[in-house]
Amino acid sequence: MPQKSSKLSTIGKIRNVDSATALAGFLAGAGVSHFVVPKLFDAIVPRVLPGSPRAWTQAGGVAELALAAGIACPRTRRVAAQATAAFFVGVFPANIQMAVDWRHKPAPLRNLALARLPLQAPLVLWARSVGRKATPVR
C-alpha cells in the first residue's frame, strides 16, 4: 500500500511542475511579446499613468520575464507565484483600458477585449495555486 501512496505523490508533483512550467511559459511568452509587438501594449497603458506608454510596456515585459524565471526555478517558485498573482491584479486596469478603447471596434475585436476581463481571475487563481503547491525553501 505505501507504494501506491508514493505513486500518487509523484503524480501530484508532476502535475504541479507541469502547471508551474506552463505558467512560466505563459509569462515568458507574454514578456517577449511586449518587445516584439510593443505598439499593441503601448495602446492599452492607462493614460493616467505618468511617463511614456513605451516605458510601461517595457517594464511590464521585463516584469513578466522575471516572474517567469522565478516560477521556473523551484527555489523561488513560491514567492514568484505570489508576486505573479499580485502582478495579474495590477495589470487589470490595462485590460479595462483596452475594453473601453475598443468598444467601437468591430465585434470580434470588441469581444476579445471584453473576454480578457473575466479571464484575469483564473490567471490570479492559477498563480496562487502554483505558489501554494511549491515546495517551501529550506
Side-chain angles (χ1 to χ4, degrees):
M1 207 53 130
Q3 198 172 25
K4 201 175 213 181
S5 174
S6 176
K7 286 182 182 178
L8 290 177
S9 176
T10 301
I11 290 170
K13 288 178 184 174
I14 291 170
R15 284 187 184 151
N16 183 44
V17 169
D18 287 343
S19 182
T21 300
L23 181 56
F26 175 80
L27 286 163
V32 167
S33 68
H34 281 68
F35 297 97
V36 174
V37 286
K39 288 183 182 181
L40 175 67
F41 294 95
D42 293 348
I44 65 172
V45 172
R47 290 177 281 284
V48 298
L49 292 175
S52 73
R54 182 59 53 92
W56 287 102
T57 294
Q58 292 172 338
V62 168
E64 285 178 324
L65 290 169
L67 291 168
I71 288 172
C73 179
R75 291 192 63 128
T76 57
R77 183 169 296 148
R78 181 179 296 270
V79 71
Q82 292 167 347
T84 298
F87 178 81
F88 286 148
V89 170
V91 298
F92 188 67
N95 294 348
I96 294 171
Q97 185 70 56
M98 182 179 186
V100 169
D101 290 347
W102 289 23
R103 67 186 179 278
H104 300 299
K105 297 238 181 207
L109 292 175
R110 183 177 62 244
N111 292 339
L112 173 68
L114 291 172
R116 288 185 68 182
L117 298 176
L119 291 177
Q120 206 71 17
L123 291 174
V124 171
L125 295 173
W126 184 15
R128 290 187 56 185
S129 173
V130 167
R132 276 193 310 275
K133 293 174 184 174
T135 305
V137 177
R138 295 176 191 202

